[in-house]
């Protein structure tokens, strides 16, 4: 059977943890990466929760990435401000 490859985007609270465990348990699903963002839970807790799920399922081979969205937003707003002062 050919596995479908998935990249899953989570804000791992209880609901996403359960969805992630379901995906990891399916023989026809190949979770190749997980992206973590803040949402229901702060980003540091999302990453910790996601890594706990991967540890329990012995799937630390799955790539787990995260973005500092607030830091990126700050940089974008700062650039907009700097550009507006140059004109």
């Amino acid at each position: 059977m050919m596995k479908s490859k998935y990249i899953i985007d989570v804000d791992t609270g209880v609901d996403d943890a359960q969805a992630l465990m379901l995906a990891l348990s399916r023989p026809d699903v190949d979770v190749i990466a997980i992206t973590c963002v803040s949402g229901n839970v702060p980003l540091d807790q999302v990453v910790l929760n996601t890594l706990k799920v991967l540890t329990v399922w012995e799937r630390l081979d799955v790539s787990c990435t995260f973005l500092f969205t607030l830091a990126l937003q700050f940089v974008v707003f700062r650039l907009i401000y700097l550009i507006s002062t140059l004109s």
Side-chain angles (χ1 to χ4, degrees), residues 28-81:
D28 58 330
V29 171
D30 184 14
V31 178
I32 58 172
I34 300 169
T35 58
C36 299
V37 295
S38 61
N40 294 336
V41 179
L43 183 59
D44 59 335
Q45 190 64 52
V46 170
V47 173
L48 183 61
N49 292 348
T50 303
L51 291 174
K52 284 181 180 180
V53 170
L54 291 174
T55 300
V56 168
W57 283 88
E58 298 179 351
R59 289 298 311 270
L60 291 174
D61 60 305
V62 176
S63 175
C64 180
T65 61
F66 57 94
L67 300 172
F68 291 103
T69 55
L70 291 178
L72 182 59
Q73 288 173 355
F74 175 77
V75 169
V76 170
F77 286 126
R78 186 75 177 139
L79 284 173
I80 291 170
Y81 171 76

